């Protein structure tokens, strides 16, 4: 979730470190998507409940939501892209991991207490601690990202060592991540659809087709997947750039078309899962492991390559959001609770994508301003860096 490795730039101080403009834009888009996705929870802004409240609008909303599945994968991708070519000091890396774990603990208590205070949903100490341990949805479940990132960081020194030893060994690791995470999900999807077509009913197909030989079972495999893909692109970015530049058919039009088709296919797959199982399928979070989301992340990377930083307010805003993305991510749930309890989302005018985007942008901007202020306060700045 960091572009320059420190996340210390502000909207008025953006020229101190070399940055990748396209990664800045990707992270800014992804951060807005994270908030937008959480704004759709419980049909807060848009109705996508195609089972409980089916309608033409709910089906359209469900498909449109598919594009949001790139939100968190982009941050893992960006981490891999940026860290793989940076020197690694093991001592500093271990301290960074401890700080990350500390941030998760501090914000788990902070977000949970803030949401209780805002919603009036007070609980006893035992239940409070139990909710934190279980990462209660709506309180601090979004902090799963820090835990997943920490898991990846545990292996980062080994990944770096493999790359320094042999690019082939590094590529092997990337291939393992793709096969056992995205490949696994692709096989599962194919079997589910084939079973439904043949039998006319939903068949139980395990989510882990590789069973006990899958090294990513029981963990957030998507974290390793997108970190690996981002690392691969970071290592081979010049060759990838040369290849894409040499192909005339790889242009904005075709990339946008691929993005739309891939998004549509993810939405249709989600609808199939919902209809065949009778259980609502969250195809944003549940879509992280799919080939559709993987394609969309790579397409977004290519599209964002055309973006170049210029010294104007919009570019400074984009860079600032990227630099402050961790802090924004950690605190945005508090403002979601404020919006939800205000009664604003109960209004008829709130049940559409326009309201969702405007409200998400406002939350993003407020969080950005607060994070920038916190960064200027000694001691407090460590909570958002």
């Amino acid at each position: 979730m960091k572009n320059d490795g420190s996340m210390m730039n502000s909207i008025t101080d953006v020229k101190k470190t070399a940055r990748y403009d396209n990664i800045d834009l990707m992270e800014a888009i992804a951060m807005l998507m994270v908030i937008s996705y959480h704004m759709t929870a419980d049909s807060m802004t848009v109705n996508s409940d195609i089972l409980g409240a089916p309608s033409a609008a709910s089906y359209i909303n469900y498909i449109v939501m598919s594009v949001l599945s790139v939100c968190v994968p982009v941050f893992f991708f960006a981490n891999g892209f940026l860290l793989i070519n940076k020197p690694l000091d093991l001592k500093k890396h271990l301290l960074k991991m401890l700080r990350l774990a500390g941030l998760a603990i501090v914000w788990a208590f902070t977000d949970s207490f803030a949401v209780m205070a805002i919603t009036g949903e007070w609980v006893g100490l035992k239940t409070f601690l139990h909710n934190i341990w279980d990462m209660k949805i709506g309180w601090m479940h979004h902090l799963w990202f820090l835990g997943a990132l920490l898991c990846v960081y545990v292996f980062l020194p080994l990944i770096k060592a493999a790359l320094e030893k042999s690019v082939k060994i590094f590529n092997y690791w990337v291939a393992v991540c793709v096969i056992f995470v995205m490949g696994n999900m692709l096989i599962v999807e194919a079997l589910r659809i084939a079973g439904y077509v043949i039998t006319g009913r939903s068949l139980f197909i395990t989510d882990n087709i590789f069973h006990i030989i899958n090294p990513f079972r029981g963990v957030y495999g998507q974290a390793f997947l997108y970190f690996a893909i981002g690392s691969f692109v970071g290592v081979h970015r010049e060759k990838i750039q040369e290849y894409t530049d040499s192909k005339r058919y790889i242009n904005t039009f075709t990339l946008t078309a691929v993005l739309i088709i891939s998004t549509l296919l993810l939405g249709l797959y989600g609808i199939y899962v919902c209809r065949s199982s009778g259980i609502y399928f969250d195809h944003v979070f549940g879509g992280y492991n799919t080939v559709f989301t993987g394609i969309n992340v790579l397409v977004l990377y290519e599209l964002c390559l055309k973006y170049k930083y210029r010294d104007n307010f919009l570019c400074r805003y984009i860079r600032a959001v990227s630099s402050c993305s961790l802090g924004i991510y950690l605190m945005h749930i508090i403002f979601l609770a404020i919006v939800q309890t205000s009664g604003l989302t109960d209004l008829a005018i709130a049940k559409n994508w326009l309201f969702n985007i405007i409200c998400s942008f406002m939350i993003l901007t407020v969080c950005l301003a607060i994070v920038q202020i916190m960064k200027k306060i000694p001691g407090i700045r460590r909570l958002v860096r």
Side-chain angles (χ1 to χ4, degrees):
M1 199 179 287
K2 301 178 292 184
N3 194 332
D4 63 350
S6 64
M7 288 182 124
M8 291 190 293
N9 290 340
S10 70
I11 199 167
T12 57
D13 183 18
V14 294
K15 297 183 179 180
K16 290 185 178 180
T17 55
R19 304 179 66 92
Y20 293 94
D21 294 339
N22 63 316
I23 299 297
D24 277 337
L25 181 58
M26 286 182 72
E27 290 191 320
I29 292 173
M31 194 64 255
L32 181 63
M33 284 183 166
V34 166
I35 299 173
S36 176
Y37 167 49
H38 289 158
M39 283 284 293
T40 65
D42 300 320
S43 298
M44 190 189 308
T45 52
V46 294
N47 171 33
S48 61
D49 188 359
I50 60 177
L51 295 181
S55 65
S58 66
Y59 276 94
I60 293 173
N61 289 334
Y62 188 87
I63 291 176
V64 171
M65 275 181 63
S66 306
V67 75
L68 302 180
S69 68
V70 303
C71 57
V72 175
V74 161
F75 291 119
F76 290 120
F77 176 94
N79 264 269
F81 181 92
L82 296 167
L83 294 180
I84 197 63
N85 291 314
K86 290 184 64 176
L88 187 143
D89 183 306
L90 186 57
K91 182 179 179 180
K92 290 182 179 179
H93 182 67
L94 292 174
L95 290 175
K96 181 180 181 180
M97 290 171 59
L98 289 174
R99 184 171 61 84
L100 195 63
L103 276 178
I105 295 172
V106 170
W107 278 99
F109 281 86
T110 301
D111 284 341
S112 297
F113 185 81
V115 171
M116 276 201 310
I118 293 167
T119 62
E121 187 183 345
W122 296 100
V123 297
L125 179 60
K126 182 179 179 180
T127 303
F128 178 77
L129 296 176
H130 187 270
N131 288 340
I132 288 179
W133 181 259
D134 288 343
M135 300 184 70
K136 182 176 179 179
I137 295 177
W139 284 30
M140 40 75 69
H141 186 260
H142 62 294
L143 298 182
W144 73 267
F145 171 82
L146 295 183
L149 190 62
L150 189 58
C151 289
V152 176
Y153 281 3
V154 168
F155 294 96
L156 181 58
L158 302 179
I159 298 168
K160 294 277 291 183
L163 177 59
E164 293 171 2
K165 179 69 175 179
S166 168
V167 175
K168 289 184 177 180
I169 296 176
F170 168 78
N171 290 342
Y172 163 79
W173 170 73
V174 175
V176 166
C177 292
V178 172
I179 292 170
F180 284 98
V181 180
M182 189 180 294
N184 172 77
M185 191 61 188
L186 185 60
I187 295 173
V188 169
E189 291 166 348
L191 290 176
R192 284 174 175 169
I193 294 174
Y196 187 77
V197 170
I198 294 172
T199 66
R201 58 190 179 87
S202 178
L203 300 178
F204 172 75
I205 303 293
T206 176
D207 288 332
N208 178 20
I209 205 69
F210 293 108
H211 199 37
I212 61 173
I213 66 170
N214 191 338
F216 298 107
R217 66 186 185 279
V219 299
Y220 289 109
Q222 63 265 32
F224 289 88
L225 169 66
Y226 290 104
F227 190 91
I229 294 175
S231 298
F232 182 86
V233 174
V235 169
H236 302 287
R237 65 183 181 278
E238 293 181 358
K239 292 182 179 179
I240 294 173
Q241 186 67 56
E242 290 176 4
Y243 177 81
T244 55
D245 288 344
S246 67
K247 304 299 180 181
R248 294 180 60 185
Y249 59 83
I250 302 179
N251 52 51
T252 302
F253 176 80
T254 55
L255 289 171
T256 303
V258 170
L259 181 68
I260 293 173
I261 293 171
S262 182
T263 298
L264 176 62
L265 290 175
L266 176 57
L268 293 176
Y269 173 72
I271 291 172
Y272 153 74
V273 174
C274 291
R275 295 291 298 273
S276 62
S277 67
I279 301 174
Y280 184 85
F281 175 60
D282 181 356
H283 61 316
V284 176
F285 186 84
Y288 291 166
N289 292 351
T290 66
V291 67
F292 309 117
T293 299
I295 290 173
N296 284 354
V297 169
L298 291 174
V299 168
L300 183 62
Y301 171 80
E302 280 294 320
L303 287 172
C304 289
L305 280 173
K306 302 181 183 301
Y307 166 74
K308 302 299 180 184
Y309 176 83
R310 294 179 177 83
D311 191 16
N312 57 49
F313 178 81
L314 179 60
C315 290
R316 290 196 297 271
Y317 181 86
I318 290 171
R319 184 167 288 187
V321 170
S322 175
S323 298
C324 297
S325 54
L326 178 60
I328 296 170
Y329 184 88
L330 293 172
M331 72 169 57
H332 80 279
I333 202 74
I334 297 174
F335 292 91
L336 285 174
I338 293 174
V339 171
Q340 191 168 20
T341 56
S342 68
L344 188 61
T345 56
D346 295 329
L347 301 177
I349 59 172
K351 305 301 181 181
N352 57 77
W353 281 107
L354 179 60
F355 178 86
N356 176 288
I357 295 172
I358 292 174
C359 195
S360 298
F361 177 74
M362 291 177 64
I363 291 174
L364 176 66
T365 303
V366 170
C367 289
L368 172 61
I370 294 174
V371 170
Q372 289 184 316
I373 293 173
M374 292 177 68
K375 282 186 173 184
K376 299 180 183 298
I377 304 175
I380 298 296
R381 68 181 63 166
R382 294 181 178 275
L383 296 176
V384 292
R385 284 171 46 189

